[in-house]
Amino acid sequence: MDKIKNKEIWFVTGSQDLYGPGTLKQVAADSVEIAQSLDKSPEIVAKVVFKPVLASPDSINELCTEANNAKQCIGLITWMHTFSPAKMWIRGLTILNKPFLHFHTQLNRDIPWETIDMDFMNLNQSAHGDREFGFIGTRMRLNRKVVVGHYEDPDAVSRIAVWARAAAAYDDALGMKVARFGDNMREVAVTEGNKVSAQIRMGYSVYGYGIGDLVKAVNEVSAADIKKLLTKYAAEYKMTKEVADSDTLKEAARIEIGMETFLESGGFKAFTTTFEDLHGLKQLPGLAVQRLMAKGYGFGAEGDWKTAALVRSMKVMAEGLKGGTSFMEDYTYHFDPKGMRVLGAHMLEVCPTIAAGKPSVEIHQLSIGGKADPARLVFKTAPGRGINATVIDMGNRFRMIVNDVEVVKCPDMPGLPVASVLWKPMPDLRTGAAAWILAGGAHHTGFSSAITAEYLEDFADMMEIEFILIDDGCDLKALKKELKWNEMYYHLAGGLI
């Protein structure tokens, strides 16, 4: 995912020829200054590249065409320094297939009260120039993020940085391949979905493989490669000598190497497994899945390809940020009135990027799947803020649901040796869980302590999918109305292609 640093965001300034060459020269100089300032920000992951000032329909159309065809360009930041008649933008915006952010800013932070004159006013017109541009975006029903503030304002820069990471994830999703080893868990509804619709709307493609294809790659792993990986295990994790010397750990290493080889050779960024289809494997992949997620792969259990893709996208957004991102599942509740909580875990597959300390490798019985006892990483997650997110197929559209959560300290659970997280859903368990269920949220999620709901809202806007937020201000009556309004909107708008 280091390739993100080589991606570009183009800084695009609008004006018009009415003001003459002198003014346009100053517009360009001011735009360069703002673009360079943003580019120097350590928060913005991609390069911010200044593009020549656009002052005609043809130049705008050419720029949008160029952006569409530029692999390194993941989006545009648009700004109207002067007044830029918005009819000039229609042709270009009609064909633009890259996300864009509308930055409502200006070069000067303060009005120069003692020296301001008409020349200054003619040059610095973004206060109403951006409104003209904003109208055409709204009139054309274009999704975009609007950020208001001075270009040196930390809050404005941070909001642009969030959008930039979402744009990087969107760019990554357009080329994502998801490998499914086996099918969905039988009779489960929410993990199903229309893969063709997902590819049309969200960009990624899903490939199905029989478990035999994976087994072949696993069986071809050499003893030497297993030995090298076991050395890494010993250096990175806590474990007893009995675990370190076990055939179970060797088999876990074999599965990891074979699985990673398969994914790398096929160019996959995410994958799924299912405990109902393990023929030829000696144990359910646990340690392998955990470590592959830590390397950036998305994952979904029981064939859940939508969650696998979502986890990958969340990992792209979170790259380099403090905290981690993992596949997750709401497992059981703590209904103590003094502090209602949710225990998040899974049988095996929780990513160690969310671990509070050094995980331990352990081998325990798994009472599902009918295979040998698997190796897994066991740990707890540090307290702090987090989010849970899911994407569901509503038939005529995809819906993303995000719930803000507060991770709290998890007590010891000697009889449950799994990776786990304990959290309080916002605004509380009663409201948060009811809202999640009313919205149709899945039991599988992408959990992150690195990114916030704003990242995913920007991402959903780029994909043009429905977004539902359950946060501290969630009110069930209002949510029910929002869901009904959304149903009507998507019905009238034609829904998903």
Side-chain angles (χ1 to χ4, degrees):
M1 290 191 284
D2 287 339
K3 294 180 180 179
I4 295 174
K5 298 176 183 177
N6 297 321
K7 296 292 185 176
E8 296 178 354
I9 295 169
W10 291 0
F11 190 86
V12 177
T13 307
S15 188
Q16 60 178 327
D17 292 326
L18 176 67
Y19 306 108
T23 298
L24 289 178
K25 184 177 180 180
Q26 187 61 51
V27 167
D30 294 348
S31 299
V32 167
E33 183 173 335
I34 295 176
Q36 289 179 345
S37 177
L38 295 176
D39 186 52
K40 290 177 183 177
S41 170
E43 287 190 75
I44 299 177
V45 289
K47 300 176 182 176
V48 179
V49 178
F50 165 77
K51 287 293 178 176
V53 175
L54 304 177
S56 69
D58 287 342
S59 65
I60 293 168
N61 188 67
E62 289 170 6
L63 184 282
C64 292
T65 302
E66 182 185 359
N68 288 345
N69 296 323
K71 291 183 178 181
Q72 75 277 16
C73 176
I74 61 174
L76 312 181
I77 297 175
T78 58
W79 172 50
M80 305 302 113
H81 190 314
T82 63
F83 195 79
S84 181
K87 288 174 66 175
M88 296 195 306
W89 288 86
I90 293 175
R91 185 154 49 108
L93 291 177
T94 298
I95 65 168
L96 182 66
N97 61 22
K98 297 291 175 75
F100 74 96
L101 176 147
H102 185 183
F103 192 18
H104 189 37
T105 190
Q106 59 189 32
L107 183 72
N108 56 295
R109 190 196 70 175
D110 304 326
I111 294 176
W113 304 107
E114 295 184 359
T115 60
I116 188 170
D117 55 19
M118 284 308 303
D119 289 337
F120 181 93
M121 294 284 282
N122 285 333
L123 176 64
N124 299 283
Q125 298 186 55
S126 57
H128 70 288
D130 275 326
R131 282 169 166 76
E132 167 75 355
F133 182 73
F135 164 75
I136 205 62
T138 298
R139 177 63 178 81
M140 295 176 69
R141 275 69 171 179
L142 300 177
N143 285 339
R144 75 280 195 201
K145 184 173 188 174
V146 178
V147 176
V148 180
H150 190 252
Y151 72 94
E152 293 179 324
D153 175 20
D155 180 69
V157 174
S158 292
R159 296 198 65 214
I160 292 172
V162 167
W163 174 87
R165 286 180 174 273
Y170 178 69
D171 178 73
D172 181 80
L174 294 178
M176 188 193 308
K177 293 171 61 180
V178 181
R180 296 178 73 224
F181 299 117
D183 206 334
N184 283 59
M185 180 179 173
R186 291 183 278 277
E187 299 289 4
V188 176
V190 77
T191 52
E192 293 283 5
N194 190 317
K195 301 181 191 69
V196 175
S197 294
Q199 187 168 352
I200 292 171
R201 177 60 64 205
M202 295 184 280
Y204 55 80
S205 51
V206 183
Y207 294 72
Y209 293 93
I211 196 67
D213 295 314
L214 175 59
V215 171
K216 181 177 183 294
V218 170
N219 290 341
E220 291 174 351
V221 175
S222 69
D225 286 341
I226 292 174
K227 185 177 180 179
K228 288 180 183 177
L229 186 53
L230 289 173
T231 302
K232 289 184 179 180
Y233 290 169
E236 295 178 18
Y237 311 118
K238 299 181 290 185
M239 69 181 79
T240 65
K241 188 176 187 304
E242 181 181 5
V243 169
D245 295 339
S246 68
D247 289 338
T248 297
L249 191 61
K250 291 178 182 141
E251 189 61 28
R254 182 190 300 277
I255 293 173
E256 178 183 341
I257 296 168
M259 187 173 280
E260 185 169 13
T261 300
F262 188 99
L263 295 172
E264 282 186 350
S265 63
F268 296 102
K269 297 175 181 178
F271 66 102
T272 72
T273 62
T274 176
F275 67 88
E276 289 183 322
D277 194 352
L278 296 173
H279 184 70
L281 292 180
K282 294 182 179 179
Q283 58 181 267
L284 177 63
L287 180 59
V289 171
Q290 291 176 296
R291 284 177 50 82
L292 287 170
M293 270 196 285
K295 293 181 179 181
Y297 286 97
F299 173 75
E302 293 102 47
D304 190 351
W305 49 272
K306 295 189 296 298
T307 299
L310 177 62
V311 170
R312 164 66 185 193
S313 294
M314 292 171 70
K315 281 185 171 290
V316 172
M317 291 180 231
E319 176 69 12
L321 297 177
K322 184 179 178 181
T325 300
S326 177
F327 168 78
M328 188 55 64
E329 181 170 275
D330 294 54
Y331 233 85
T332 194
Y333 290 139
H334 183 64
F335 271 136
D336 182 351
K338 296 179 181 178
M340 296 186 183
R341 303 289 184 258
V342 179
L343 180 63
H346 206 254
M347 295 182 294
L348 301 172
E349 308 97 337
V350 176
C351 180
T353 59
I354 67 172
K358 191 174 185 178
S360 62
V361 179
E362 301 181 21
I363 299 170
H364 298 280
Q365 181 183 7
L366 187 67
S367 57
I368 195 168
K371 290 292 180 177
D373 299 339
R376 83 286 296 272
L377 295 174
V378 178
F379 56 83
K380 290 185 172 63
T381 302
R385 62 163 183 79
I387 56 170
N388 272 316
T390 188
V391 172
I392 59 172
D393 188 343
M394 292 292 291
N396 68 332
R397 66 191 185 278
F398 290 97
R399 170 183 287 169
M400 179 183 290
I401 308 162
V402 178
N403 186 195
D404 288 337
V405 303
E406 178 189 351
V407 179
V408 298
K409 185 178 179 181
C410 184
D412 291 334
M413 301 178 292
L416 187 64
V418 296
S420 59
V421 189
L422 187 67
W423 68 76
K424 170 192 171 185
M426 293 294 130
D428 53 70
L429 194 152
R430 285 193 180 97
T431 306
W436 188 271
I437 290 170
L438 286 169
H443 57 284
H444 290 164
T445 63
F447 168 86
S448 183
S449 58
I451 63 174
T452 64
E454 185 180 0
Y455 291 80
L456 289 172
E457 183 175 10
D458 289 350
F459 184 62
D461 281 347
M462 293 172 192
M463 288 190 159
E464 297 184 348
I465 64 175
E466 184 183 5
F467 179 82
I468 299 294
L469 176 62
I470 304 169
D471 60 7
D472 195 45
C474 178
D475 176 79
L476 290 179
K477 290 183 179 179
L479 177 68
K480 288 178 182 179
K481 292 178 181 179
E482 180 182 359
L483 295 174
K484 290 179 180 179
W485 293 335
N486 287 4
E487 200 67 56
M488 181 60 71
Y489 167 78
Y490 283 99
H491 175 73
L492 294 175
L496 196 62
I497 295 174

